[in-house]
Amino acid sequence: MVVWFLNFWPNMKKLRLGIIGDPIIHSLSPIMHEAALHALGIEGSYTPLQVSSNQLSSVISQRRENWDGWNVTVPHKGNIIPLLDTIETQARKINSVNTVVRLKDHRLWGTSTDGYGLIKALECNLNFIPNGTHVVLLGAGGAARAAAAALALADISKLTIINRTPEKAMEIVNFVKTLSSCQTEIMTPSQIIAPLSSGDLVIQATSLGLKEIDPLPFSPQFLPEKCCVFDMIYSSTPFLQQSQRLGFKTSDGLEMLLYQGVKSFEYWTNQEAPVEIMRQTLYHAKGRK
Ligand code: ATR
């Protein structure tokens, strides 16, 4: 999609970008996007802004005047929707916006690049193409919902959700059924006492692994044979490390962060994003080669 509607384009005035969320301090998006702007010689900035839920509405009114585009992260991806003017169809379906573009007439257009980021990361890191596969999703929160939607829209044949609270998994299943005719299944971790009999990909989408004291979301010894394992957290969690030790092909979520950012950047600038520079910036920040 060619996006010609940014205020900045083609006048080449300073491009003002940012990200809103709560918390926002640990976001790697500012360094990634500023590196991309610099690499392309675009004068601009990308500013993190901590915004609580009760500030959201007033902050959006201000940003409408001050920013050309921005990212949205937890916990505002759904709540921002009524505050925008136009929502891209799939973002509306999944009720989640992570990218806002200010149009020439100052209307705000929202979309989600998270699904694109996930599908690209699976392809790049695991050589995994979702079409026709069975995916096992650990978790049923916001991140899991976004992953389920992306996978349903990418034509998986079966989705198994494993979550401590089955009611939340059921909500996602009901939602997935509005997007796809894939088979669905729900389990709780306590029901699993032997390796799963099938599953091509397991996606870790709970918040477990962010803190050192967290328990494992699922015992890697119960992973289905020969599956790939993707953790949406962008560091090497104990779950990923143990899965790797057992011989499973694994990936963390850093490449997903990269590709959702690549897509956002292209919406804002109408230029091809410098993917390798953005990747190197993220890898450097995480102390990776
Ligand atoms: P996010 O937006 O990052 O997805 P969330 O919406 O709070 O965060 O969802 C967190 C997910 O991690 C949920 O699936 C949650 O399980 P429940 O639905 O049962 O609450 C899961 N989770 C968090 N802490 C957990 C724990 N101690 N044990 C098992 N699952 C946990």
Side-chain angles (χ1 to χ4, degrees):
M1 178 185 177
V2 179
V3 183
W4 283 101
F5 36 59
L6 267 181
N7 242 353
F8 131 93
W9 189 269
N11 306 326
M12 298 303 279
K13 72 179 172 75
K14 193 169 185 247
L15 185 62
R16 291 153 309 172
L17 304 172
I19 180 167
I20 59 169
D22 186 12
I24 204 66
I25 184 109
H26 300 297
S27 173
L28 296 177
S29 293
I31 55 164
M32 172 172 70
H33 284 291
E34 292 211 328
L37 291 170
H38 183 73
L40 296 188
I42 298 173
E43 208 192 328
S45 57
Y46 183 105
T47 312
L49 202 60
Q50 165 113 6
V51 178
S52 66
S53 295
N54 56 17
Q55 293 170 317
L56 185 64
S57 174
S58 63
V59 168
I60 298 308
S61 307
Q62 293 159 10
R63 294 305 106 192
R64 193 186 280 272
E65 301 310 316
N66 300 331
W67 278 354
D68 299 295
W70 62 91
N71 282 130
V72 184
T73 189
V74 176
H76 304 313
K77 289 184 181 187
N79 296 342
I80 197 169
I81 288 178
L83 305 172
L84 303 177
D85 303 305
T86 321
I87 308 295
E88 183 265 336
T89 314
Q90 288 197 357
R92 185 173 289 290
K93 272 191 194 165
I94 64 172
N95 194 39
S96 179
V97 160
N98 82 330
T99 304
V100 176
V101 180
R102 187 176 64 174
L103 310 181
K104 269 188 171 165
D105 58 8
H106 279 217
R107 280 182 310 123
L108 298 177
W109 180 79
T111 189
S112 176
T113 65
D114 286 335
Y116 173 82
L118 173 64
I119 302 298
K120 278 293 282 185
L122 293 175
E123 188 185 331
C124 290
N125 278 7
L126 298 170
N127 207 13
F128 185 88
I129 306 293
N131 191 315
T133 62
H134 175 191
V135 177
V136 178
L137 190 56
L138 308 178
R145 185 181 165 93
L151 293 160
L153 293 168
D155 288 330
I156 57 168
S157 60
K158 183 171 176 184
L159 179 67
T160 300
I161 302 181
I162 300 174
N163 197 50
R164 177 179 64 174
T165 314
E167 295 77 17
K168 283 174 75 180
M170 183 51 85
E171 261 176 47
I172 296 188
V173 159
N174 288 338
F175 163 62
V176 160
K177 286 186 172 154
T178 66
L179 304 174
S180 150
S181 55
C182 71
Q183 254 185 288
T184 53
E185 176 181 45
I186 291 172
M187 293 178 180
T188 60
S190 56
Q191 286 174 315
I192 298 160
I193 50 167
L196 297 172
S197 58
S198 69
D200 302 300
L201 169 71
V202 174
I203 297 188
Q204 197 308 98
T206 74
S207 46
L208 297 174
L210 286 168
K211 298 188 215 110
E212 272 183 25
I213 50 153
D214 283 343
L216 286 177
F218 181 82
S219 173
Q221 66 191 7
F222 295 154
L223 287 168
E225 215 181 325
K226 294 193 182 133
C227 71
C228 296
V229 181
F230 184 88
D231 197 318
M232 291 177 83
I233 295 174
Y234 43 81
S235 58
S236 182
T237 59
F239 174 67
L240 267 194
Q241 288 169 24
Q242 289 196 24
S243 304
Q244 213 167 14
R245 257 183 251 126
L246 290 173
F248 292 97
K249 198 171 169 185
T250 64
S251 167
D252 71 16
L254 197 61
E255 206 83 352
M256 179 176 170
L257 175 72
L258 167 69
Y259 278 105
Q260 62 76 36
V262 162
K263 195 73 169 171
S264 299
F265 187 88
E266 292 181 348
Y267 279 127
W268 296 322
T269 62
N270 196 35
Q271 295 191 45
E272 199 176 312
V275 179
E276 208 39 52
I277 300 267
M278 294 167 84
R279 178 181 283 118
Q280 289 313 322
T281 305
L282 290 177
Y283 276 42
H284 185 257
K286 297 294 289 178
R288 290 190 204 172
K289 294 205 180 104

